[in-house]
Amino acid sequence: MEKFEIIRTGAVPLPIENIDTDQIIPARFLKATSREGFGENLFRDWRYSSSGEPKRDFVLNNSRYKGQVLLAGKNFGCGSSREHAAWAIYDAGFRVVISSYFADIFRGNALNNGLLPLQVTDEVLQRLFALVEADPQTEFVINLPEQELYLPASGERIPFAIDPYKKECLIKGYDDIDFLVSQKEAITAYESTRAWIY
Amino acid sequence: MGKTLFDKIWDAHVVRSIPGGLGVFYIDRHLIHEVTSPQAFDELEARQLSLHNPAQIVATADHNVPTRNQHLPIQDQLSRFQVDKLTSNCEKYGVELFGLGHPNQGIVHVIGPELGITQPGMTIVCGDSHTSTHGAFGAIAFGIGTSQVAQVMATQCLLLSRPRKMRISVEGELRKGVTAKDLILYVIAKLGTGGATGYFVEYAGSAIRSLSMEGRMTVCNMSIEMGARGGMIAPDETTYTYLKGRPHAPQGKLWEQALAYWRTLYTEEGAEFDAEFHFDAADMAPMITYGTNPGMGIAINSTIPASVPANEAVSFEKSLQYMGFAPGESLLGKEVNFVFIGSCTNSRIEDLRQVAAYVKGKQKASHVEAIIVPGSKQVELQAREEGLDKLLAEAGFELREPGCSACLAMNEDKIPAGAYCVSTSNRNFEGRQGPGSRTLLASPLVAAITAVEGKIVDITQYLN
């Protein structure tokens, strides 16, 4: 996993609520057996017509908006557990998704792939949408070690929460699997105490 | 303070806690399928890790398989490659596979219970969000991503934070024509599509207790559609009767031992939940969804809301525009061209029996294509043994072979753009059943009646 510290970038706004993982990456693109290349089909049916033409009114096709932050409406990533959704967002160049809340499985998948799900309040989210709408060049500084979203234009600093272990993993580029494998002894000891059955 | 059902099972599976709130959490059973496992096997390979214990994993091919001519090679190259990859991975790592053509093949959440793999008190995971289905047996069961699939393969554990607890109690008797599917669609409509995010739900109350195991599975299956990590129901005699004698269920003395343990799995008096909801079964009606998330449901004979709070207006409007409906409108009389009966929500024998019982001697409307995709080979065989296949065929319904099919339209079973499909599946997201498809979620009974009438009707008028 790539290391994550401080990112200074622009944001791409998608002010729609309940964006489900079928929109992020439709099931028909899940036939691949590797993790790469999902970015080109990110938001496929919102982004392209059935004949493959880019839809002009969709934000990813609007060159005014650029950056590594995807700014999205509340309950982002609901629905299917497909990790392909996190892979597609990351593969398309995003490192952060900001929303006012995330579906549980998506949040976990994002963290396991170096993609930061950054949760703010509904009120802050609406303000961020307004800022980006007023000025698509609005700069976002995401400082993970300080757990702070900084907006240089206004000088505003917005703190955010993250599990301390997950934060360390992101900063150092560690995966859960490294940690779990290091726990084998405890796992085997646990198994020996287990009931008769399962 | 008493313990909840959830606490009892959760606490029994914590290997160790680590500072900051996460814990190493033990997983008893791991179900895998062709779509979310290949990258996990690759990860093991890249890290030169082996499986912690192959005997705790069961595999099947379901998401991406054709539902016709399963005895022939899969036509779609990518699909065939993905299914073959599952087969070769299972052979290489020694995992039991119920692949295409195997008598135990089927949708992962149908075969687990059917084979007795799913048992009370277990922790069960699968790279699929509808793993919550298995909670119907009093298990902690939930969907995971592919990185976590690899973690469980390598260590039989996950790093998890403890979810909050919610109890949803439904008391009283369901009215005629109101099924488990309507019950859960009603609850989701009340709580909203993100209403239970961060929670693990226990369903309780007399209306839940009186459901069959199939009905309980339907309820727990859709827990994820309100954002819940999972849903569960305390095991009881209905659970034990269902499980006894199934191939993977404990036998003889072990059964007695298991039963004694399972009887301790209930929420004690005075146990506390972080959130509680109470509903009256008598308030529930046959449901249907009108929008593009499962929380957008209404009683079939009522109307789409005329307006929503200002902050939800953009999403509401987008959703109705996609569906081709107007605020305040009734769905009654809307013509429907497709009916899909299947998916891990409603493809069990009880669902097929209900559909067959209604359509017996009737004929589907000529403009409707009605397909029934059984949840497993076992369900399909049982339907044939009971003669349901003939009743369905006579009524113009096509009984296919098992798989996830048009629930997510990964295979060729797609609903055309713009067409309406009354579907017994779990998601009505944009394009879920094929690009541009318009899904209306409902019970198998509503689906059957819709197929015969060719339009949305007030089904309460059609029950004798």
Side-chain angles (χ1 to χ4, degrees):
Chain A
M1 202 163 80
E2 253 179 78
K3 294 178 183 177
F4 189 121
E5 281 195 343
I6 299 171
I7 291 178
R8 182 180 279 261
T9 183
V12 178
L14 203 49
I16 299 165
E17 293 177 358
N18 306 316
I19 294 177
D20 59 77
T21 52
D22 275 83
Q23 305 320 310
I24 299 171
I25 182 86
R28 62 187 189 278
F29 299 111
L30 307 187
K31 296 182 184 186
T33 53
S34 74
R35 288 174 181 240
E36 289 77 39
F38 290 101
E40 63 185 276
N41 292 314
L42 175 67
F43 295 116
R44 175 75 199 200
D45 295 334
W46 286 353
R47 195 168 153 197
Y48 300 103
S49 68
S50 51
S51 58
E53 292 297 308
K55 291 183 180 174
R56 264 197 272 168
D57 58 352
F58 187 63
V59 70
L60 288 192
N61 298 323
N62 184 339
S63 58
R64 290 174 71 214
Y65 298 99
K66 282 199 177 76
Q68 292 178 295
V69 170
L70 181 64
L71 190 61
K74 76 171 180 194
N75 195 24
F76 185 82
C78 59
S80 153
S81 64
R82 61 189 71 163
E83 195 161 312
H84 312 65
W87 299 337
I89 294 170
Y90 194 95
D91 194 48
F94 295 104
R95 297 299 304 276
V96 183
V97 184
I98 300 178
S99 181
S100 57
Y101 76 82
F102 294 91
D104 290 328
I105 307 179
F106 176 81
R107 181 199 299 272
N109 287 341
L111 288 166
N112 282 334
N113 287 279
L115 178 70
L116 176 67
L118 195 163
Q119 188 166 328
V120 295
T121 63
D122 277 323
E123 185 265 321
V124 168
L125 184 66
Q126 294 315 319
R127 214 161 66 234
L128 297 178
F129 277 130
L131 281 174
V132 176
E133 194 185 351
D135 177 11
Q137 312 298 321
T138 302
E139 204 175 27
F140 286 62
V141 180
I142 296 91
N143 184 330
L144 180 59
E146 295 298 322
Q147 295 183 220
E148 183 184 87
L149 166 61
Y150 172 56
L151 302 168
S154 61
E156 192 178 3
R157 293 175 189 278
I158 301 157
F160 63 86
I162 182 169
D163 175 86
Y165 166 82
K166 284 293 180 187
K167 174 179 166 180
E168 197 184 325
C169 283
L170 281 180
I171 292 173
K172 294 186 174 163
Y174 288 170
D175 295 314
D176 284 357
I177 198 164
D178 299 326
F179 178 79
L180 286 168
V181 170
S182 77
Q183 300 295 305
K184 276 272 187 162
E185 216 170 296
I187 295 167
T188 314
Y190 168 83
E191 283 176 326
S192 68
T193 67
R194 288 281 289 159
W196 30 278
I197 176 167
Y198 311 129
Chain B
M1 192 177 74
K3 272 189 151 190
T4 66
L5 165 66
F6 176 83
D7 291 329
K8 288 175 181 174
I9 303 174
W10 183 275
D11 293 345
H13 288 84
V14 176
V15 174
R16 57 170 293 228
S17 300
I18 59 170
L22 290 172
V24 178
F25 187 77
Y26 193 80
I27 303 300
D28 294 312
R29 286 288 178 280
H30 188 192
L31 309 168
I32 63 170
H33 62 82
E34 74 278 24
V35 176
T36 58
S37 70
Q39 294 90 347
F41 279 114
D42 283 353
E43 192 171 344
L44 292 190
E45 174 113 12
R47 292 169 184 265
Q48 297 187 304
L49 293 167
S50 53
L51 294 184
H52 184 76
N53 180 11
Q56 284 169 281
I57 310 178
V58 171
T60 193
D62 57 0
H63 278 63
N64 192 9
V65 299
T67 55
R68 278 179 177 146
N69 296 320
Q70 288 186 349
H71 60 289
L72 299 177
I74 299 175
Q75 295 289 311
D76 182 288
Q77 258 190 18
L78 284 174
S79 302
R80 191 170 67 235
F81 182 75
Q82 200 172 45
V83 172
D84 288 349
K85 186 95 181 156
L86 178 71
T87 308
S88 61
N89 278 329
C90 287
E91 277 169 10
K92 182 174 165 190
Y93 286 90
V95 173
E96 187 170 21
L97 168 67
F98 302 134
L100 272 194
H102 192 287
N104 291 342
Q105 181 267 340
I107 303 176
V108 62
H109 309 310
V110 175
I111 66 168
E114 179 175 87
L115 298 171
I117 294 167
T118 304
Q119 296 168 25
M122 276 185 173
T123 52
I124 303 170
V125 295
C126 173
D128 186 283
S129 60
H130 293 109
T131 308
S132 57
T133 312
H134 307 265
F137 291 79
I140 291 184
F142 53 91
I144 56 176
T146 295
S147 295
Q148 292 176 306
V149 170
Q151 291 160 23
V152 179
M153 284 175 169
T155 68
Q156 211 57 40
C157 284
L158 288 170
L159 261 182
L160 297 176
S161 60
R162 198 184 181 102
R164 284 173 292 173
K165 291 169 291 179
M166 176 185 287
R167 179 162 59 187
I168 296 174
S169 304
V170 187
E171 299 290 348
E173 258 181 71
L174 292 172
R175 286 185 287 161
K176 194 171 182 177
V178 182
T179 66
K181 181 64 165 288
D182 303 297
L183 184 156
I184 191 63
L185 284 173
Y186 177 92
V187 169
I188 300 168
K190 291 288 181 192
L191 268 70
T193 189
T197 302
Y199 290 91
F200 214 99
V201 175
E202 179 180 346
Y203 300 96
S206 58
I208 299 290
R209 296 250 75 84
S210 63
L211 294 175
S212 65
M213 285 318 296
E214 284 84 354
R216 294 179 190 189
M217 285 188 254
T218 299
V219 169
C220 289
N221 172 277
M222 291 195 72
S223 304
I224 182 73
E225 309 311 337
M226 49 188 175
R229 205 68 184 82
M232 66 200 307
I233 295 171
D236 60 11
E237 294 309 317
T238 306
T239 321
Y240 312 140
T241 307
Y242 177 97
L243 272 175
K244 197 166 168 62
R246 292 196 182 254
H248 288 251
Q251 315 280 335
K253 208 173 160 193
L254 277 178
W255 171 263
E256 294 306 322
Q257 219 173 341
L259 203 57
Y261 172 54
W262 295 344
R263 291 193 197 282
T264 69
L265 299 174
Y266 58 89
T267 292
E268 292 164 9
E269 276 300 309
E272 280 182 21
F273 288 84
D274 302 294
E276 289 239 36
F277 291 90
H278 296 271
F279 298 105
D280 186 346
D283 291 340
M284 298 177 179
M287 298 285 290
I288 194 157
T289 64
Y290 61 87
T292 55
N293 74 57
M296 302 175 84
I298 50 173
I300 199 163
N301 55 9
S302 70
T303 53
I304 296 172
S307 64
V308 294
N311 58 334
E312 294 167 23
V314 173
S315 302
F316 180 72
E317 201 175 299
K318 182 179 186 318
S319 187
L320 288 192
Q321 195 176 10
Y322 181 85
M323 293 299 293
F325 297 144
E329 193 179 25
S330 162
L331 295 181
L332 298 180
K334 297 275 183 198
E335 194 176 284
V336 169
N337 289 96
F338 292 84
V339 167
F340 171 66
I341 294 162
S343 87
C344 57
T345 313
N346 283 118
S347 63
R348 297 180 179 82
I349 191 68
E350 188 179 281
D351 301 315
L352 270 59
R353 282 185 193 136
Q354 190 170 36
V355 171
Y358 181 79
V359 304
K360 185 180 177 181
K362 299 187 179 74
Q363 194 60 41
K364 72 163 179 71
S366 58
H367 64 274
V368 171
E369 189 177 313
I371 70 166
I372 303 196
V373 182
S376 69
K377 212 67 199 167
Q378 301 274 315
V379 170
E380 183 192 337
L381 285 176
Q382 197 171 344
R384 292 189 193 284
E385 273 170 26
E386 294 180 14
L388 305 184
D389 56 329
K390 291 194 184 61
L391 289 181
L392 294 167
E394 281 162 18
F397 287 62
E398 187 190 356
L399 182 63
R400 299 275 187 95
E401 291 171 281
C404 299
S405 181
C407 171
L408 83 168
M410 260 195 92
N411 69 355
E412 53 275 29
D413 304 340
K414 293 180 182 11
I415 308 303
Y420 290 110
C421 177
V422 169
S423 176
T424 68
S425 55
N426 39 57
R427 291 190 172 133
N428 50 358
F429 297 154
E430 282 186 33
R432 171 83 178 177
Q433 299 195 286
S437 60
R438 292 160 158 174
T439 303
L440 296 91
L441 301 176
S443 72
L445 183 60
V446 167
I449 297 176
T450 308
V452 170
E453 299 305 320
K455 59 186 181 191
I456 310 291
V457 296
D458 176 4
I459 72 148
T460 55
Q461 311 295 312
Y462 291 76
L463 303 170
N464 46 31

